[in-house]
Amino acid sequence: MMLSDRGIRARLDGQHEDGTNCQRLVIEPLRRPNSSDDGGAIQGCAVDLRLGTWFEIPRLHTRAAYELDEPGPRSPGERPGKTVYVPFGGCFFLHPGNFVMAVTLEWLGMPADLSGTVTGKSKWGRRGLNVATATLVHPNFVGCLTLELANIGEHPITLKPGVTVCQLSLQQLSSAALEPVKGSFLMGHRRPVHADVVLDTRAAALSKGGSIEDGVTETF
Amino acid sequence: MLEKVDRVIDRIDAVRRGSLLQADTADALAAIAEHFQEHRSQLHAFNVNATDAAVVENHCELILLSLFHFLPHIGFLHRARHPSNPFEVHGPLKRLAQLAIDSDVRLIISSEWEFSPYTHPSMGGIPNFILLGLPASEADNALLIPIAGHEFGHPVWVRQQLAKRFARAIEAGIFNQMRGRWKEVSAALGLTDEAELRQDQRAISARAQLGGFVRAQCEEIFCDLFGLFVFGESYCHAFAHLLAPGLAADKTFSYPTARRRAEILEVAAPVFGTAAPAAFSQRFRASPPGDLFPELMSATVSDLLPQLIDAVASYASNRGLTVPGTVGRVEAKLSLERITPAPASSSLPEIMCAGWDLWTNDQLWASTPYLRNERGRLINDLVLKSVQGQDYWHFIDAAP
């Protein structure tokens, strides 16, 4: 069940719509301290999220290709991209055909019984900005959401930290999730983060062409 | 020489053209560039045939001095763009500096490839810029930001002309200490009569030299006390993180020993209405008994300590500064423990104290391995996100 604006506001107060207490949904900064004023961010069935101040630009000249089963970087020193900070008042120009990782300004804290879906804003989509491709936010997630921004339009796009860049809709789960998802090291970051690849034994087996016992790849 | 000046201007321009320069950094670079452009104009203005060669030579020496002086600063400004720096802190810390010092203060946060924090109260010739540079290996450690409190103290010391205010007390203190240990002093200086303490050139010279060191130590202690007042217990933690257990070989007379500085912070904390961490000074190696003159300096500084504490407290109160409050600190701590940024009602120093509260809690997230494993990074990100929240609300509230 998708939460309505009333449902979202209630969860931010740590309550269900019927007034019963529950785990609080965290989205910070959003509401003015000691106030319900969210600056119009909560509308219909979603919360507008703003563009954060950190970006990561791919370093094309140092990498031949990504392998989808290779371990990802685990520290800023291992970042395959160039990290830049754009303060409030600054801007980042995203040119057609270019891709950059960014973050939401808001820090999220998802309760165990809610999931989220990140989608773009039509005002940006119609200008050619694709905001996110991995759009599911798992229960228990904490941190800033990493956004995958791509300019698939014809004109350069000026990105300014603080602008509403995407929206988050929230879904009530049938029950609280038991544990954080694998790859929980993705959580609790303020900067864009690369997903480490969790060991996928089935994919590993398949990559060996079915000869998992002796490790020989059969050729035909 | 002209070529050297052109090269440094080109280098400054290259740094200025680099991406995503903070406004204060850009302005500092512009000011330095202007300084060298004036040198260049002057060199162009010299008439090769008519200008006295000595005048040209003197000016070239001035330029050389400028190069020696400013090149490390240019490097510092270059590194201010590095993504390891805690950029989120800049706005809130600058506003705190403006409250603590003056509204015209500019702040640049960068790093230095020296373990000793590279900190300058100002760049000579480019006033009002405070440079804060943590060791490069600690540049992204938000919990060390309280060290900035010490740097805020230096411009206060200068602007309030405290060296002048303490000069007489320092002179009298040294004289009294020398008289109190007359036997040792007379033996060391070859004096025979106590009256010679005032008249003999050796005594006068020794008193002047000791006075210079005591003045420098008083300034450093004032700055430590200022950092303690502004950042509370978090200043002590940051201080210990960088300096404990102290270096036995550290014999500079411009600073008291790290142990002595820690003891002074312990003494001052309750006077300011804050607290030092438990057994704080025990984290530092006790110094072996010193020589006569270091002991005289140390004793003089100790005698002046109540006045230094009072100077910090009265200045800070006049500027409207307060020590970090318990309520803001506890609220911030509770939020951070729940992996949520601190509320906007918590001040920057309160957030820093809360961050250290988490860091020093051995049981933090003990039952949650995936949080526990990333504890340091997670506290750092939470603290910086909390600070950025302050910046966010500052801009929202400031908008018409």
Side-chain angles (χ1 to χ4, degrees), chain A residues 26 29-33 50 53-54 74 83-86 105 107 142 144 180 184-185 187-191, chain B residues 19-20 22 83 87-88 339-341 344 370 374 377-378 381-382 384-385 388 391-393 395-397:
Chain A
V26 173
L30 177 66
R31 298 196 295 186
R32 193 175 283 280
R50 298 177 185 279
T53 47
W54 288 100
R74 295 300 305 275
T83 308
V84 293
Y85 179 84
V86 183
L105 179 66
W107 179 282
V142 289
C144 297
S184 53
F185 47 79
M187 310 208 317
H189 288 268
R190 75 185 208 283
R191 306 204 290 191
Chain B
S19 60
L20 311 171
Q22 299 247 343
F87 289 97
E88 291 93 334
I339 321 169
T340 301
Y370 71 89
E374 300 227 9
R377 202 261 315 146
L378 199 46
D381 277 10
L382 274 166
L384 288 172
K385 205 64 200 171
Q388 189 178 52
D391 224 17
Y392 175 86
W393 288 113
F395 286 118
I396 297 294
D397 292 340

Side-chain angles (χ1 to χ4, degrees), chain B residues 181-200:
Chain B
R181 295 179 69 170
W182 167 245
K183 269 190 181 174
E184 296 155 90
V185 169
S186 58
L189 296 177
L191 306 177
T192 52
D193 190 329
E194 221 176 284
E196 288 175 328
L197 271 181
R198 289 192 193 281
Q199 296 153 0
D200 187 274

Side-chain angles (χ1 to χ4, degrees), chain B residues 231-246:
Chain B
F231 282 98
E233 193 177 341
S234 65
Y235 179 77
C236 299
H237 284 298
F239 178 88
H241 181 91
L242 282 175
L243 293 180

Side-chain angles (χ1 to χ4, degrees), chain B residues 237-272:
Chain B
H237 284 298
F239 178 88
H241 181 91
L242 282 175
L243 293 180
L247 294 171
D250 190 1
K251 291 285 187 189
T252 175
F253 294 141
S254 299
Y255 288 83
T257 63
R259 168 77 170 230
R260 182 67 190 128
R261 290 169 74 183
E263 288 167 350
I264 288 170
L265 291 169
E266 280 178 328
V267 169
V271 181
F272 290 160

